[in-house]
Amino acid sequence: MRDCDSIVSKKNRELGAILEVSRVLTSSFDLEANLTSVMSTLAGQLDMERGCVFLLEPGTDRLRIVAAHGLSRDAVERGKYRIGEGIVGRVLESASPMFVPDIGDEPNLCIPITLKGKPLGVISVDRIYSEEHGGVDDDLRVLNIISSLIAQFVKLWETYREADRERENLRIELRERYSLPNLVGESAGFQAVLKSVLKVADTDATVLVLGESGTGKELIARTLHFESRRARKPFVAVNCAALPSNLLEVELFGCEKGAFTGATARRTGRFETAQGGSIFLDEIGELPLELQSKLLRVIEDRTFERVGSSDSMRADVRVIAATNRNLSEEVRRGNFREDLYWRLNVVPLVLPPLRERRSDIPLLVGYFAEKFNRAYSKEVRVSEEAMESFMGYRWPGNVRELANVLERLIIMCEGDEIGPGDLPYGIKHNAGQPASEERPSHDAESLKSEVLNLERDRIVRALKESDFVQSRAARLLGITPRQLGYRIKKYRIETPR
């Protein structure tokens, strides 16, 4: 009867130890902490005096101790083996357990840690049972189960670590993509915007980005996020003009199951998704009046409720909004709440249209040409003549239009240079013309001729003043010698040979 009780007690201790090891290994993805807890469990519940877990270092043939119990720090630091070296190395190489009955008068057992035939490491322990309570077979039975649990945990940890590395690489890539060096422009207006971005980025102040369509409002919003302390958290963009008001409310705040017909499950809203990060509300001027009061509450109180729920949720979210509308005029007309306008307009950033930052056009052309050449494995450059047309065009679609034109031209270009003949009709024939889409009148044509004649006269005068030395004449005119050469050909100006 006593032997039966002893066996039952031993089985209960084994089962308790195995369950505790399983619980520890599923508690987190902290490799060393979890495996150290496993060793402590074996010591506490199965009377193991010493033990350690060796793991194979990725891409090498070396084993190192990652967790130990009952070993000195020096012993842990010395615990390094290669495959086939020492007892531990031979166990990993053979993938078979090894029992050594006498190592310094302390029995020792090594069990390989493998998963689907792949060696991962070794678990090495003093015998967990004394002679009177069990034998080596009992040790092997228990430790084989423990090593199997460890193998599955190590594989899950490797998968998690790889996914975490990919997430970090993506975060770094996004941060680089939306960092200040990628905001191209040296004009005074654009530099003023960048200066403001640097000042406000690492605060939680609400920002209102204003500007025409295509000026880069979302790019500025993403830069504000990735330059802030919230960069590791989500950036969530919502286009307020893309959905009807009833769906937009669910999109922003989520809903409970059964909140309305068709709500078959709980849905997480964008504010909840953006928790800890930033939410970008594009086209905020299109937000319906009935939702403006709810957004005002989120900004003021940092709380909201899902549709169909009375439970308030905390919104630790930075709000960045953007619009191409004149919101103060919308307030005057009664289309936009004044209190919401002032809540959004804490830090306004006004992006200038491309026609007001013409000096940035060559920089932007160079930036996009390099980007698309790299993307399509080409080496296409933009001629000075084509650049002049770019400079003279008003770009109603702003930077977005310029990027799209460059991409199309580089894809379609059959040579290594984009010339005036390659440009779209609108750019070739509207460079330097008024913004109105109406065809120019005869008076406008006369004005254009006068401007051309004035430019020709200025060039002739500069050439004469510099004794027809084109480099000196170009300096007088503030253009490059190549640009001057093009104009000499364009106006058929005769120069002394």
Side-chain angles (χ1 to χ4, degrees):
M1 187 67 176
R2 186 176 299 172
D3 289 344
C4 183
D5 290 342
S6 176
I7 292 172
V8 171
S9 175
K10 183 172 70 174
K11 295 295 183 184
N12 287 337
R13 292 175 67 196
E14 288 177 5
L15 182 58
I18 291 168
L19 289 174
E20 179 61 17
V21 166
S22 178
R23 186 196 67 78
V24 165
L25 292 178
T26 56
S27 64
S28 73
F29 282 108
D30 191 328
L31 180 75
E32 295 190 9
N34 286 7
L35 293 179
T36 299
S37 294
V38 168
M39 291 292 99
S40 298
T41 297
L42 293 180
Q45 297 193 221
L46 297 180
D47 300 328
M48 177 194 74
E49 292 185 10
R50 295 191 313 173
C52 53
V53 177
F54 296 82
L55 289 183
L56 193 61
E57 293 181 341
T60 73
D61 63 348
R62 295 189 299 273
L63 286 152
R64 69 177 183 90
I65 295 177
V66 295
H69 176 82
L71 272 69
S72 67
R73 180 174 297 180
D74 289 342
V76 171
E77 291 178 354
R78 291 196 307 270
K80 297 178 182 179
Y81 298 90
R82 292 183 181 276
I83 296 176
E85 179 183 14
I87 298 171
V88 173
R90 292 202 299 274
V91 167
L92 187 67
E93 184 177 47
S94 64
S96 299
M98 185 177 295
F99 171 60
V100 182
D102 186 11
I103 297 182
D105 297 327
E106 294 186 22
N108 189 277
L109 185 62
C110 288
I111 303 288
I113 301 171
T114 61
L115 186 66
K116 296 181 180 180
K118 178 184 176 182
L120 300 175
V122 172
I123 180 171
S124 172
V125 301
D126 294 347
R127 286 197 52 201
I128 55 177
Y129 289 120
S130 59
E131 289 291 344
E132 62 268 23
H133 291 105
V136 175
D137 289 342
D138 295 309
D139 297 339
L140 285 172
R141 176 171 42 78
V142 175
L143 291 176
N144 272 326
I145 296 172
I146 300 296
S147 70
S148 176
L149 293 173
I150 291 175
Q152 293 177 58
F153 167 70
V154 170
K155 187 62 179 178
L156 284 172
W157 174 79
E158 289 178 346
T159 303
Y160 172 81
R161 184 183 60 174
E162 183 62 30
D164 195 49
R165 187 183 297 118
E166 290 179 2
R167 285 194 297 270
E168 180 65 13
N169 289 340
L170 178 59
R171 188 191 67 80
I172 292 171
E173 179 184 337
L174 288 172
R175 183 158 190 166
E176 289 175 350
R177 185 183 303 173
Y178 299 111
S179 64
L180 293 178
N182 288 318
L183 296 176
V184 180
E186 295 179 352
S187 61
F190 193 69
Q191 285 297 309
V193 172
L194 296 190
K195 187 176 180 180
S196 297
V197 168
L198 283 172
K199 286 182 178 179
V200 76
D202 208 26
T203 72
D204 280 339
T206 303
V207 177
L208 180 61
V209 188
L210 304 168
E212 296 179 5
S213 179
T215 50
K217 295 187 290 296
E218 184 169 348
L219 178 62
I220 291 294
R222 289 182 180 274
T223 301
L224 284 166
H225 172 74
F226 286 106
E227 289 292 325
S228 76
R229 58 177 175 270
R230 295 177 178 267
R232 290 180 176 271
K233 298 296 183 178
F235 175 88
V236 177
V238 183
N239 188 327
C240 297
L243 294 169
S245 59
N246 59 330
L247 295 180
L248 183 56
E249 183 177 7
V250 173
E251 189 73 17
L252 290 174
F253 306 117
C255 70
E256 294 289 346
K257 181 179 179 180
F260 52 87
T261 303
T264 57
R266 171 184 285 181
R267 179 169 178 179
T268 300
R270 296 298 186 92
F271 271 97
E272 196 173 346
T273 302
Q275 195 73 355
S278 305
I279 189 167
F280 173 53
L281 303 176
D282 198 9
E283 304 294 351
I284 192 68
E286 306 292 336
L287 192 68
L289 276 169
E290 60 268 23
L291 285 183
Q292 292 178 22
S293 59
K294 295 189 175 183
L295 177 60
L296 177 64
R297 182 190 169 198
V298 176
I299 296 174
E300 287 185 333
D301 301 338
R302 300 294 175 181
T303 59
F304 67 95
E305 292 90 28
R306 294 194 188 100
V307 176
S309 172
S310 59
D311 297 329
S312 292
M313 302 184 68
R314 185 73 181 162
D316 177 19
V317 178
R318 184 191 194 171
V319 176
I320 305 169
T323 183
N324 57 14
R325 287 192 176 192
N326 185 335
L327 284 189
S328 59
E329 181 63 22
E330 294 298 313
V331 169
R332 189 185 66 79
R333 292 176 178 175
N335 297 328
F336 203 85
R337 291 180 62 113
E338 185 175 9
D339 48 4
L340 177 58
Y341 171 67
W342 292 118
R343 280 293 183 182
L344 292 172
N345 200 33
V346 176
V347 180
L349 297 177
V350 183
L351 298 185
L354 192 53
R355 64 182 175 275
E356 293 180 8
R357 43 183 292 219
R358 291 186 186 276
S359 60
D360 290 338
I361 291 176
L363 296 174
L364 288 164
V365 169
Y367 172 81
F368 288 121
E370 181 182 356
K371 174 182 176 180
F372 296 129
N373 273 321
R374 185 168 59 249
Y376 300 113
S377 300
K378 288 195 168 188
E379 294 183 4
V380 177
R381 63 181 180 273
V382 178
S383 70
E384 290 196 10
E385 294 84 353
M387 184 68 78
E388 285 190 11
S389 294
F390 282 149
M391 293 287 288
Y393 183 56
R394 291 186 62 84
W395 299 105
N398 293 296
V399 179
R400 183 187 293 125
E401 182 185 4
L402 175 62
N404 291 343
V405 167
L406 258 296
E407 184 173 13
R408 180 168 70 250
L409 290 173
I410 286 174
I411 290 173
M412 302 303 293
C413 185
E414 296 179 353
D416 59 0
E417 184 176 84
I418 296 169
D422 301 312
L423 302 182
Y425 178 87
I427 295 178
K428 281 189 295 187
H429 295 276
N430 290 306
Q433 297 210 8
S436 171
E437 294 182 359
E438 297 178 359
R439 293 187 60 83
S441 65
H442 291 294
D443 289 340
E445 289 289 350
S446 300
L447 177 61
K448 183 178 179 182
S449 298
E450 289 180 19
V451 170
L452 294 176
N453 289 334
L454 177 63
E455 184 179 50
R456 187 183 189 282
D457 292 340
R458 286 282 307 276
I459 291 171
V460 171
R461 188 163 66 248
L463 285 169
K464 289 179 178 179
E465 289 175 1
S466 59
D467 295 326
F468 289 91
V469 177
Q470 292 187 20
S471 59
R472 289 167 57 190
R475 282 197 296 272
L476 289 173
L477 293 166
I479 59 177
T480 67
R482 186 172 177 183
Q483 289 172 328
L484 176 59
Y486 165 72
R487 286 169 169 78
I488 290 173
K489 291 180 181 178
K490 174 182 176 180
Y491 295 118
R492 298 179 181 176
I493 299 172
E494 295 183 2
T495 58
R497 294 186 180 276

